[in-house]
Amino acid sequence: MSAAAESVSWHERARRLEFRTQAFIDGRYVDAASGATFDCINPATGKLLARVAAGDSEDINRAVTSARAAFRKGSWANLAPAKRKKVLLRFADLIRERGEELALLETLDMGKPIRDSLKIDIPGAARCIQWYAEAIDKVYDQVAPTGPEAPPGVLNVVPGLGQAAGKPLALHMDVDAVAFTGSTATGHAIMQYAGQSNLKRVSLECGGKSPNIVLADYPDLEKAATAAAWAIFFNQGEMCSAGSRLLLQEEIKDAMLEKVQAIGRTLAPGDPLDPATRLGAIVDETQMKRVLGYIDAGRADGASIRLGGRRVREDSGGYFIEPTVFEGVRPAMSIAREEIFGPVLSAITFRTVDEAIEIANDVIYGLAAAVWTRDVTTAHRVARALRAGTVYVNCYDADDITVPFGGFKQSGIGRDKSLHALEKYTELKTTWIDLS
């Protein structure tokens, strides 16, 4: 099938797609208790996709009550590990079986290219569920558990906006833990809600302003530039680990930016349902305006736009922004310090390795970082000095489910992926028994 025919096929599938818009509470699909809904907008067209149940505190309470009842009953918590594994493996299989439908839903909702939803996100989700399923009957503490599919209450889904649904969840006195992925500002609020309620455990994977440091001794600038471009333009820059700060040693600044610029020119935003599209739509109008505001701020602060900087495809009704590259960025500028969450790269020049380290660490974030050098001693020194949860050497965005992921400073608390992720969902308990 040609790319054009495949694109038509995805549009046709989208027209035939039925949206499930209710909440899922206590094993049943239900409307929000209030009957309220919110509009889900296709960011590629600006048009309504569906009206989704808008959960609030009453729906959160129903879901928590259901989950607590299931926990107390023990029908899942006390289930033999091998049986829980079987359920989760089936879950992973179902994700794969419904992969095209799930990919289409993600692209319609988020505006990301269908090729990325189909080839990266959905297989990655299935692989994650499968990996932890396989770990269930292998990860014990000192005593292996023994048991006497998933019952109602074990899984609940409550759609809703932050203040109406997220806040009541974080404040709920019968919730033991909250795991959150999103902005640092919201992470601050969740920490406060935990303190105001029952001191529930909080794990956060928040924002980033990741530095990508290229030293003049690195011999393959083509490889470094390609990685730098994709580190910020992949997924429209809507990545917490995006390499949004490109730190370039003076001697290679122009050569690197020319190569990054050339790659950026090939990434014109396109229809997310076209399999040839590599750069899709910004998630919603509010975020598009936020990104454009940062671009205006960068200009006002004296940085120069080397590439992009505009909204495009306005006739589509969607929210598209060109790949954008700023040069002449100073570390104190807002575009160098604050998370933009869009396809905007800030290039900063440095002279010495120590200066690069200082600039890299001089933000509130510490999620990811990278260094490109041919000198292994320098690589170890810089990697050790960078205050980031993940450091890439001569690469960017390397990833595997077996390796922990998370940040330092205000990029978060705790780790996702790997066996370390289990720590935030478990409690250590000591039992002393006198047998005399």
Side-chain angles (χ1 to χ4, degrees), residues 83-204:
K83 293 184 178 179
R84 276 184 278 146
K85 178 169 76 171
K86 185 178 180 180
V87 174
L88 289 176
L89 288 175
R90 178 57 180 152
F91 186 11
D93 287 340
L94 287 171
I95 292 173
R96 294 188 179 99
E97 290 172 16
R98 305 290 289 271
E100 290 192 354
E101 179 185 355
L102 293 171
L104 183 56
L105 286 168
E106 181 178 38
T107 289
L108 290 173
D109 182 47
M110 297 297 295
K112 71 184 306 173
I114 187 66
R115 61 183 292 161
D116 292 340
S117 297
L118 192 63
K119 296 180 180 180
I120 299 175
D121 291 6
I122 303 306
R127 188 164 57 250
C128 177
I129 297 295
Q130 178 180 338
W131 194 83
Y132 284 104
E134 294 288 357
I136 282 177
D137 56 359
K138 302 174 183 66
V139 179
Y140 310 136
D141 193 34
Q142 303 304 311
V143 179
T146 55
E149 284 223 90
V154 172
L155 173 66
N156 296 286
V157 179
V158 182
L161 303 181
Q163 285 295 308
K167 181 177 180 179
L169 181 66
L171 283 169
H172 204 290
M173 294 296 292
D174 210 22
V175 170
D176 295 330
V178 170
F180 169 77
T181 298
S183 73
T184 294
T186 303
H188 276 276
I190 290 174
M191 291 284 286
Q192 293 174 21
Y193 300 149
Q196 292 167 15
S197 54
N198 59 345
L199 289 179
K200 59 178 58 66
R201 181 180 301 183
V202 173
S203 58
L204 305 171

Side-chain angles (χ1 to χ4, degrees), residues 70-354:
F71 182 76
R72 286 176 176 154
K73 187 176 181 181
S75 49
W76 177 259
N78 295 332
L79 193 65
K83 293 184 178 179
R84 276 184 278 146
K85 178 169 76 171
K86 185 178 180 180
V87 174
L88 289 176
L89 288 175
R90 178 57 180 152
F91 186 11
D93 287 340
L94 287 171
I95 292 173
R96 294 188 179 99
E97 290 172 16
R98 305 290 289 271
E100 290 192 354
E101 179 185 355
L102 293 171
L104 183 56
L105 286 168
E106 181 178 38
T107 289
L108 290 173
D109 182 47
M110 297 297 295
K112 71 184 306 173
I114 187 66
R115 61 183 292 161
D116 292 340
S117 297
L118 192 63
K119 296 180 180 180
I120 299 175
D121 291 6
I122 303 306
R127 188 164 57 250
C128 177
I129 297 295
Q130 178 180 338
W131 194 83
Y132 284 104
E134 294 288 357
I136 282 177
D137 56 359
K138 302 174 183 66
V139 179
Y140 310 136
D141 193 34
Q142 303 304 311
V143 179
T146 55
E149 284 223 90
V154 172
L155 173 66
N156 296 286
V157 179
V158 182
L161 303 181
Q163 285 295 308
K167 181 177 180 179
L169 181 66
L171 283 169
H172 204 290
M173 294 296 292
D174 210 22
V175 170
D176 295 330
V178 170
F180 169 77
T181 298
S183 73
T184 294
T186 303
H188 276 276
I190 290 174
M191 291 284 286
Q192 293 174 21
Y193 300 149
Q196 292 167 15
S197 54
N198 59 345
L199 289 179
K200 59 178 58 66
R201 181 180 301 183
V202 173
S203 58
L204 305 171
E205 201 267 88
C206 296
K209 195 66 180 175
S210 300
N212 192 3
I213 303 169
V214 185
L215 301 180
D217 71 346
Y218 187 72
D220 191 349
L221 293 188
E222 195 70 43
K223 178 183 176 182
T226 300
W230 283 109
I232 183 61
F233 299 140
F234 174 74
N235 203 45
Q236 303 74 248
E238 295 172 325
M239 296 281 291
C240 53
S241 59
S244 53
R245 291 186 293 156
L246 182 58
L247 276 58
L248 301 172
Q249 203 154 22
E250 286 180 341
E251 301 94 304
I252 59 167
K253 189 261 291 186
D254 290 331
M256 271 290 293
L257 286 181
E258 285 173 9
K259 293 180 183 300
V260 171
Q261 184 176 356
I263 295 167
R265 286 200 188 100
T266 70
L267 298 176
D271 177 4
L273 291 177
D274 183 344
T277 293
R278 302 307 304 272
L279 199 69
I282 301 298
V283 64
D284 60 28
E285 186 175 19
T286 299
Q287 180 61 18
M288 178 190 69
K289 290 178 178 178
R290 183 174 186 271
V291 175
L292 292 173
Y294 272 109
I295 292 173
D296 289 342
R299 286 194 189 98
D301 286 342
S304 302
I305 289 186
R306 184 157 184 148
L307 176 71
R310 300 173 301 166
R311 179 184 181 184
V312 293
R313 293 177 58 89
E314 291 190 56
D315 58 343
S316 70
Y319 316 127
F320 298 88
I321 295 177
E322 293 177 303
T324 300
V325 177
F326 276 102
E327 64 177 325
V329 177
R330 298 188 304 277
M333 292 180 179
S334 62
I335 59 170
R337 304 192 67 80
E338 300 173 18
E339 185 179 45
I340 299 174
F341 217 63
V344 181
L345 180 64
S346 296
I348 303 170
T349 306
F350 65 90
R351 293 182 297 278
T352 68
V353 173
D354 287 339

